[in-house]
Amino acid sequence: MRAPVKPTIILSKWSKEVRKAMIDRDMGLKELCEETGYSKVYLSNIINCRAVGCVIAEEKISKVLGIPYPYPA
């Protein structure tokens, strides 16, 4: 019997841009948590498209990282 296959998660353009911005700023999840006031689990789930973030949270993350929101399609 085969092991279950994990579904592939496709990241949104916004999520990819958040990751790039964090790398460019040498910022880890902990630092982003401190800047936004959100928990690591919540931010990780939003950034990795495992949960739908509220507009306010996504705007705050974008503002901290200096990326546009809403992100152009």
Side-chain angles (χ1 to χ4, degrees), residues 20-38:
K20 286 180 196 174
M22 288 175 68
I23 291 167
D24 290 346
R25 289 165 179 71
D26 196 30
M27 178 183 277
L29 199 55
K30 182 179 179 183
E31 291 84 10
L32 187 58
C33 291
E34 291 169 357
E35 292 287 328
T36 60
Y38 298 119

Side-chain angles (χ1 to χ4, degrees), residues 11 13-36 38-40 42-48 60-67:
L11 296 179
K13 289 183 180 182
W14 178 81
S15 293
K16 290 176 184 176
E17 193 61 31
V18 167
R19 286 175 164 214
K20 286 180 196 174
M22 288 175 68
I23 291 167
D24 290 346
R25 289 165 179 71
D26 196 30
M27 178 183 277
L29 199 55
K30 182 179 179 183
E31 291 84 10
L32 187 58
C33 291
E34 291 169 357
E35 292 287 328
T36 60
Y38 298 119
S39 73
K40 283 184 183 180
Y42 183 65
L43 286 179
S44 177
N45 285 339
I46 293 172
I47 294 168
N48 292 305
K60 196 170 194 177
I61 294 165
S62 296
K63 185 176 180 182
V64 167
L65 295 173
I67 59 175

